[in-house]
Amino acid sequence: MATGFIGIYSFELLIPESHSLKEKRMVIRSVKAQLTNRVACSIAEVDHHDVWQRSRLTLACVAREVGEADRLVDTAERWLAAQDFELISHERELVSLDD
């Protein structure tokens, strides 16, 4: 019996219009809210906390089937690519507890 799948997507953003930590945090807060609404994920900033124009975030989403988890990560990646900030790097992984 399958236990479900976890899609993990870690990405780094360059936010050139940010000129302070306050501006950066406003952008990051919006990114987190948009992705949470679009893919029902959990997301956190995991690096570059004190840098004005960079941020690394990681999101995780859970699904019953591997295809659904993959689709959720694809949706997040497409949304990020269409935004004004630059997606510097990204890594994705699909995990099953059965592995």
Side-chain angles (χ1 to χ4, degrees):
M1 183 165 137
T3 57
F5 296 88
I6 304 163
I8 302 168
Y9 187 63
S10 186
F11 54 96
E12 191 165 332
L13 300 177
L14 177 63
I15 311 163
E17 71 277 1
S18 176
H19 295 42
S20 68
L21 286 176
K22 184 176 180 179
E23 288 179 11
K24 172 193 160 182
R25 288 186 179 122
M26 286 175 32
V27 171
I28 297 304
R29 193 172 18 256
S30 175
V31 167
K32 290 168 62 176
Q34 288 288 328
L35 288 173
T36 298
N37 289 337
R38 290 176 187 277
V39 297
C41 64
S42 180
I43 184 168
E45 185 176 15
V46 296
D47 199 4
H48 306 303
H49 298 281
D50 295 327
V51 179
W52 292 2
Q53 296 183 330
R54 288 179 70 176
S55 181
R56 175 164 282 282
L57 294 102
T58 299
L59 69 80
C61 52
V62 178
R64 286 189 332 193
E65 298 176 1
V66 68
E68 178 66 10
D70 195 38
R71 185 188 66 76
L72 291 169
V73 172
D74 283 344
T75 299
E77 188 171 20
R78 277 193 311 276
W79 183 83
L80 286 163
Q83 303 309 303
D84 289 339
F85 40 75
E86 184 179 339
L87 189 58
I88 297 175
S89 66
H90 59 93
E91 302 168 35
R92 62 188 294 158
E93 186 173 352
L94 296 174
V95 178
S96 168
L97 295 177
D98 295 335
D99 291 344

